[in-house]
Amino acid sequence: MRMLRRGLLAWVSRVVVLLVLLCCAVSVLYMLACTPRGDEEQLALPRANGPTGKAGYQAVLQEWEEQHRNYVSSLKRQIAQLKVELQERSEQLRNGQYQASDPAGPGLDRAPPEKTQADLLAFLHSQVDKAEVHAGVKLATEYAAVPFDSFTLQKVYQLETGLTRHPEEKPVRKDKRDELVEAIESALETLNSPAEGSPNQRPYTASDFIEGIYRTERDKGTLYELTFKGDHKHEFKRLVLFRPFGPIMKVKKEKLNMANTLINVIVPLAKRVDKFRQFMQNFRSMCIQQDGRVHLTVVYFGKEEMNEVKGILENTSKAANFRNFTFIQLNGEFSRGKGLDVGARFWKGSNVLLFFCDVDIYFTSEFLNTCRLNTQPGKKVFYPVLFSQYNPGIIYGHHEAVPPLEQQLVIKKETGFWRDFGFGMTCQYRSDFINIGGFDLDIKGWGGEDVHLYRKYLHSNLIVVRTPVRGLFHLWHEKRCLDELTPEQYKMCMQSKAMNEASHGQLGMLVFRHEIEAHLRKQKQKTSSKKT
């Protein structure tokens, strides 16, 4: 009897298993028959007898399969990361609610997890809205402005205070490197997403990344603006990301075409013919030969040496076939603010991007694109922090000869520093400059007018982008402290002169040079006595 029961149970279990397998097979066949065609089947693939043949058909299939696989993997990683962050945040919120409502112990109802997660997402989006992402935030003074750091794949350029003054970081610290690499990878995933691009879009890689800027607002999060090469010349792709102390969020994707964006470089000048000749050599190379989308406006004060300056302009015009320049002559005492204001208002064409420049400035063609990319009429003005060169005579004093200028312009602690106290070089559209009221023309001579204009922009609704840039240099020139200054003014002038002459370490070597020379003499005497 027992044997019969066991046989019957075994037979029934086999029948149940077979029925289950049969149902699964029928379900799979039904799904295959009823599933609608995906996007992949609707793509215009090469025909078997077309110009690309079977190999082309397989290549396209493989490429799209790889893109979708990467996209799915990216979504899975983001979902997993978001789940972890949401869980941690939910625990924090629950603990906070528990402690606030009943310090003695449990007892009150708690919010359901779904509501808590929705509240958290709303909080993250509110952080983006509060940060200076879509519009400028009015600031009381320039000290309240948070500057950006800029970076490439190899280096981070940052503003450092104190005696260290490291103008660049290479190699980058691991924590910062991981943070920036994650931002770049997130941007590449968005650019290569099948949902974002067209079927024939080329895949973007890290080699397409040009530069980025980022900054952290302590109570909101970190903003990233990443620029990549576009599909054509003068085209760029920019991704704006925000990390609100949680997963990185995509804020905006832009396609920028700078082919027709003209820059009007305005230079106020009085005398200084040799410096202007050097400036025009740089201008001819970077603006005329390499960029080709630049207008030059020279505002000259007085008539002394004016003919020499006009002669340099005319010679450059003939040699380079360059006609996009304007020469304006003004009488009276030199005023940088007045010169820039007159130059900006003199323009009669459509709205133009202005670059306020000085004659002792050197810039690269890459900086011109940075100027274009960080400005937007009615939205954004650019205040780059330039790299100020130390005295080449001190830097290269131990060399036989000072190297050519292009070889001197290296961003290192020993060669210069970020001029973070200067606001004179700036890029902004003429319409914004006119609307903000221009310069204060009551300010005479050098200095003061640039800070006044900078403060007006900080008080407005425009976004002020301030960051160190690797393609803008202030060339060293001797600073003269006049005898007419009071003792206190003369002391301050000499302190400023010392700061622009050399680094802290190099100045220390000059101060202690007698002790160093005495040490070297003693060492030579010891060496010679041992030989004898």
Side-chain angles (χ1 to χ4, degrees):
M1 191 67 179
R2 290 180 179 176
M3 294 292 294
L4 183 60
R5 287 179 180 175
R6 288 177 182 173
L8 184 60
L9 289 172
W11 182 80
V12 170
S13 63
R14 290 193 187 99
V15 171
V16 170
V17 170
L18 289 173
L19 288 173
V20 170
L21 292 175
L22 182 61
C23 291
C24 293
V26 171
S27 300
V28 170
L29 291 174
Y30 177 79
M31 291 174 65
L32 291 175
C34 298
T35 301
R37 294 184 178 181
D39 294 338
E40 292 86 352
E41 296 180 23
Q42 300 173 13
L43 297 176
L45 298 175
R47 292 170 295 181
N49 59 352
T52 54
K54 184 178 179 181
Y57 182 88
Q58 293 175 343
V60 173
L61 279 177
Q62 185 176 0
E63 179 182 351
W64 271 92
E65 183 181 359
E66 185 67 20
Q67 285 190 15
H68 282 277
R69 190 182 295 115
N70 293 337
Y71 185 54
V72 171
S73 300
S74 169
L75 289 177
K76 288 181 178 178
R77 287 198 304 271
Q78 295 179 39
I79 291 170
Q81 184 183 11
L82 186 58
K83 284 182 178 179
V84 173
E85 297 290 342
L86 287 173
Q87 185 176 358
E88 293 178 355
R89 183 66 179 176
S90 300
E91 290 293 332
Q92 294 174 2
L93 290 173
R94 280 197 292 270
N95 292 337
Q97 290 175 353
Y98 171 78
Q99 294 173 1
S101 60
D102 190 0
L108 294 179
D109 294 335
R110 298 176 183 174
E114 294 80 4
K115 184 178 185 304
T116 303
Q117 293 179 2
D119 291 343
L120 176 58
L121 288 174
F123 168 76
L124 296 178
H125 284 289
S126 70
Q127 291 293 90
V128 177
D129 295 335
K130 291 177 184 177
E132 197 173 12
V133 178
H134 302 292
V137 177
K138 294 182 180 181
L139 301 174
T141 68
E142 62 270 24
Y143 302 106
V146 180
F148 287 86
D149 287 342
S150 59
F151 65 98
T152 62
L153 288 176
Q154 293 79 27
K155 298 179 181 180
V156 174
Y157 302 93
Q158 54 196 3
L159 297 179
E160 289 284 356
T161 57
L163 297 177
T164 54
R165 286 196 176 274
H166 287 290
E168 66 173 9
E169 190 174 338
K170 182 187 179 183
V172 183
R173 289 196 325 263
K174 185 179 184 306
D175 59 336
K176 185 179 294 183
R177 181 175 67 247
D178 293 345
E179 173 194 349
L180 299 179
V181 166
E182 182 185 358
I184 295 174
E185 288 179 347
S186 178
L188 288 172
E189 287 173 354
T190 300
L191 289 173
N192 292 322
S193 164
E196 295 282 345
S198 59
N200 297 324
Q201 175 182 290
R202 66 177 179 88
Y204 287 87
T205 65
S207 61
D208 294 311
F209 177 67
I210 299 175
E211 63 183 357
I213 59 175
Y214 74 101
R215 71 175 175 188
T216 300
E217 297 183 53
R218 295 178 182 176
D219 58 338
K220 300 178 183 69
T222 304
L223 174 67
Y224 308 87
E225 293 190 8
L226 311 175
T227 303
F228 296 82
K229 297 175 185 175
D231 299 326
H232 305 285
K233 188 178 181 181
H234 306 317
E235 278 190 2
F236 303 89
K237 293 286 183 70
R238 179 161 60 196
L239 273 295
V240 180
L241 309 175
F242 192 78
R243 189 198 299 271
F245 303 114
I248 291 181
M249 302 171 62
K250 173 192 165 186
V251 178
K252 186 167 49 175
K253 175 186 172 184
E254 298 176 301
K255 181 179 179 180
L256 305 172
N257 189 338
M258 299 298 171
N260 299 318
T261 305
L262 182 73
I263 299 179
N264 185 7
V265 181
I266 303 179
V267 181
L269 187 64
K271 303 178 184 178
R272 307 187 72 184
V273 175
D274 291 337
K275 283 291 182 182
F276 183 71
R277 182 177 291 107
Q278 184 182 54
F279 173 85
M280 286 305 298
Q281 291 175 355
N282 172 231
F283 183 89
R284 178 177 178 178
S285 174
M286 301 300 167
C287 299
I288 302 175
Q289 297 175 351
Q290 296 187 36
D291 189 89
R293 293 160 291 159
V294 178
H295 185 97
L296 176 62
T297 300
V298 177
V299 183
Y300 195 86
F301 286 81
K303 295 184 178 179
E304 187 177 355
E305 300 182 1
M306 182 186 69
N307 292 331
E308 289 88 335
V309 170
K310 290 183 70 174
I312 295 171
L313 264 177
E314 292 169 358
N315 291 336
T316 303
S317 174
K318 293 177 183 178
N321 193 24
F322 178 70
R323 298 289 184 272
N324 291 341
F325 71 90
T326 302
F327 184 86
I328 304 171
Q329 192 269 330
L330 298 178
N331 296 319
E333 182 183 358
F334 177 84
S335 169
R336 183 177 186 272
K338 181 179 180 180
L340 294 173
D341 200 274
V342 169
R345 296 178 188 276
F346 191 84
W347 181 264
K348 303 304 180 186
S350 58
N351 197 16
V352 67
L353 177 56
L354 307 174
F355 172 38
F356 295 151
C357 189
D358 287 339
V359 72
D360 50 11
I361 296 298
Y362 182 98
F363 53 85
T364 64
S365 58
E366 288 79 11
F367 166 75
L368 296 175
N369 274 329
T370 302
C371 176
R372 294 182 177 99
L373 291 168
N374 286 288
T375 51
Q376 187 177 348
K379 184 73 177 286
K380 189 184 295 185
V381 295
F382 185 41
Y383 272 83
V385 181
L386 50 81
F387 192 72
S388 193
Q389 182 190 29
Y390 285 139
N391 186 348
I394 296 178
I395 299 173
Y396 305 100
H398 59 286
H399 292 72
E400 293 183 359
V402 176
L405 177 61
E406 287 75 10
Q407 298 179 20
Q408 298 177 29
L409 301 178
V410 180
I411 299 177
K412 290 183 179 179
K413 180 181 177 181
E414 296 78 20
T415 60
F417 64 97
W418 293 119
R419 206 175 185 88
D420 55 352
F421 51 84
F423 305 94
M425 303 328 118
T426 171
C427 298
Q428 58 206 269
Y429 275 86
R430 182 178 181 274
S431 57
D432 294 327
F433 177 78
I434 299 298
N435 292 336
I436 207 74
F439 284 105
D440 183 356
L441 300 183
D442 293 331
I443 299 175
K444 305 298 182 184
W446 289 91
E449 80 290 332
D450 49 0
V451 180
H452 184 264
L453 180 65
Y454 180 64
R455 286 172 181 165
K456 288 201 291 186
Y457 280 122
L458 291 178
H459 297 164
S460 73
N461 292 322
L462 295 175
I463 297 175
V464 178
V465 179
R466 182 158 175 79
T467 183
V469 293
R470 66 187 191 276
L472 187 64
F473 298 87
H474 178 270
L475 303 181
W476 179 85
H477 57 85
E478 185 178 359
K479 185 177 180 67
R480 300 181 184 276
C481 297
L482 302 176
D483 293 334
E484 292 79 10
L485 297 175
T486 65
E488 185 63 26
Q489 289 176 325
Y490 190 82
K491 180 181 178 182
M492 292 176 61
C493 181
M494 291 301 292
Q495 288 175 343
S496 176
K497 180 176 181 177
M499 188 177 66
N500 287 272
E501 285 291 308
S503 67
H504 181 262
Q506 290 165 331
L507 290 176
M509 296 292 287
L510 290 176
V511 171
F512 299 114
R513 68 181 183 277
H514 297 300
E515 297 180 29
I516 297 172
E517 292 171 356
H519 173 75
L520 292 175
R521 285 195 298 268
K522 291 178 182 178
Q523 291 295 318
K524 287 182 180 180
Q525 291 174 0
K526 287 182 181 180
T527 304
S528 60
S529 61
K530 287 180 181 180
K531 289 182 179 180
T532 56

